[in-house]
Amino acid sequence: MTKLTENPFKFGDPVQGDYYYPRPELSSAVRQFLENQVHVVLMGPRRFGKTSFMLDLFSQLEGSGYTCLLVDIFNVTSHRDFLHQFLRALRRKKSLKGKLKEWGKRLGRLVPQLSLDFDNYTGQPTLGLSLGQLADQDVKTAIQDLLDELTGLGRRVIVALDEFQQISQLDDKGWLEATVRSHFQKLPNVSFLFTGSRKSLISEMLNDPARPLYRSCQTIEFPSFGHDFSDWVVERFATVSIPCSTEAVDHLRVLVQDTPNYVQMVCFHLVAQARPKVEINDVEEVLDTVARQNAYAYQTLLNSLTLAQQRALRLAANEKQSLFQKEMLVKYEISSAPALHNSIKALKGKGILDEEGTGKGKVLFDDPLFAYWLRMSFPM
Ligand SMILES: Nc1ncnc2c1ncn2[C@@H]1O[C@H](COP(=O)(O)OP(=O)(O)OP(=O)(O)O)[C@@H](O)[C@H]1O
Ligand SMILES: [Mg+2]
């Protein structure tokens, strides 16, 4: 049987190996801090490759004798969810099986209601069920105890909380934030690596003197790729004998706010459609199609917003800067600068927009495809 040629592009899930374009400078910067016991917050937009980066970094660090644990807390809504995700991360690591068992026994004595059968449970349902019966106080005890135990996972331990801004969203008066913070001192051989995509939430956590994590971590901005990434994409096309112009890739990167996930997605479709070559118009055609496929979801999202917010979004999608200038407000029928400010604030609260790294009067779309669709649907 002849094997179909594999598509050299992948999107959606974290990537590794040939599908991953390395980020050596970022790796060594982050490593330096973690190795010196400095906790790091890695901040970058959604779908920028944060998880892929961490997986790559962890495989390097494990090679040098570190024990690394990656906990994904993106969808965590409660302490129980948090505990659950932590246990899942531990369970995924075969090497920690013994430790997990020991801990289960000890915790069973601490919180008698917690009757986790660590020998038997293999599937999540059992675990979910037993956790489901726990009172919040017991869950808190379990979380504290679990964090205490991190120090025993290995000689040098690195714990990553992926999408960690989520801990600030729990309705717990900052308990989890404070608990994590208090473990910074308690765990001398553990470094934490936090990643997050909601910039405004993260800066509130780190820059407000009243918050537990105030200035406790080194912040690093997750950088966009340089021009060499376009060359890499062209080379990936070459592996399936499709000539692709660098200009086309550069153009694509601008259209999708330099989000690697969407670069790979569009390229995936270009290969799947067996285009004989890739130029700027090919890229645009595919992006149009993909954006149109999402129209229903985008329309629904728009309908959930006020008219003022919808206008603010059109403005943000079409204009790169100087959003607050008089002419802009007039052009987009926005009543005043403070009104625009309020709309943008509300849109940030909903996670639709986020702050731009540098410039004032600039915003970033959480989903650049949504911005593309808005430009397509409401051209100005
Ligand atoms: N270093 C990289 N080289 C090539 N492609 C990458 C790289 N990093 C990310 N990508 C692309 O982005 C996609 C998403 O990657 P990943 O899940 O790591 O991002 P993320 O920032 O964690 O996303 P999310 O915000 O959804 O958690 C991958 O499927 C891949 O297409
Ligand atoms: Mg991720």
Side-chain angles (χ1 to χ4, degrees), residues 87 99-107 142 145-146 149:
L87 290 172
K99 294 248 182 334
L100 188 60
K101 243 166 142 174
E102 266 170 46
W103 181 75
K105 277 196 199 125
R106 228 166 46 72
L107 196 69
D145 199 62
L146 187 53
E149 286 303 302

Side-chain angles (χ1 to χ4, degrees), residues 25-43:
E25 278 125 49
L26 184 61
S27 284
S28 62
V30 175
R31 253 189 102 136
Q32 287 274 318
F33 287 120
L34 294 177
E35 288 176 346
N36 289 292
Q37 217 66 51
V38 178
H39 310 296
V40 174
V41 171
L42 197 55
M43 206 157 52

Side-chain angles (χ1 to χ4, degrees), residues 14-15 20 23 26 42 45-55 222 225 259-261:
V15 283
Y20 180 80
R23 299 172 174 273
L26 184 61
L42 197 55
R46 298 265 353 248
R47 307 169 196 90
F48 241 61
K50 298 176 299 297
T51 308
S52 305
F53 170 77
M54 280 199 290
L55 290 171
F222 204 79
F225 278 123
T259 312
N261 181 62

